[in-house]
Amino acid sequence: MKLITAIIKPFKLDDVRAALLGVGVTGLTVLDVTGYGRQKGHTELYRGSEYEVDLLPKTKIEIAVADDKADEVVEAITTSANTNKIGDGKIFVIDLNQLVRIRTGDLNEDAL
């Protein structure tokens, strides 16, 4: 099993959710987060004053999937979240050692 974590631009969430539904993902966790990458934020103008925005709003998505679906899910996220501009985000794929469904006690792939 894999845990796929994607950091994307907030306005791309609906596109990513639709793409994930299209490849059979039935559940995900979504969080609003802030952060920065290589661009280190940006400068904005407000009422004639310039100020630095260090942490940019992002959306974090976490999905647990079977090993054989991981590549398909990564491709769906990559395609749907891409704007061809800096700050599109990153995808992290991590091995999951154990997964438990709390309600039933199902383990690993049965808990997906």
Side-chain angles (χ1 to χ4, degrees):
M1 295 171 304
K2 304 287 186 196
L3 177 64
I4 299 174
T5 301
I7 310 293
I8 63 170
K9 291 182 176 183
F11 68 88
K12 295 300 283 181
L13 178 59
D14 289 337
D15 295 341
V16 171
R17 282 182 58 200
L20 290 172
L21 282 172
V23 296
V25 172
T26 57
L28 66 146
T29 302
V30 177
L31 301 111
D32 290 323
V33 296
T34 59
Y36 67 87
R38 287 188 203 161
Q39 81 270 21
K40 306 273 192 289
H42 63 277
T43 303
E44 287 192 4
L45 196 60
Y46 179 72
R47 294 189 176 184
S49 297
E50 207 174 82
Y51 66 99
E52 190 74 23
V53 177
D54 293 335
L55 297 173
L56 302 173
K58 299 286 183 177
T59 297
K60 180 178 182 180
I61 301 170
E62 294 183 334
I63 310 154
V65 298
D67 286 331
D68 60 340
K69 287 211 51 111
D71 290 338
E72 188 178 11
V73 169
V74 168
E75 180 63 29
I77 296 169
T78 302
T79 303
S80 59
N82 188 359
T83 66
N84 286 319
K85 295 191 173 128
I86 193 165
D88 274 351
K90 296 251 187 326
I91 300 172
F92 305 94
V93 180
I94 303 164
D95 286 326
L96 266 179
N97 294 327
Q98 185 177 16
L99 177 65
V100 179
R101 178 177 289 142
I102 294 172
R103 179 178 55 86
T104 62
D106 291 344
L107 295 175
N108 301 327
E109 303 243 347
D110 292 335
L112 286 173

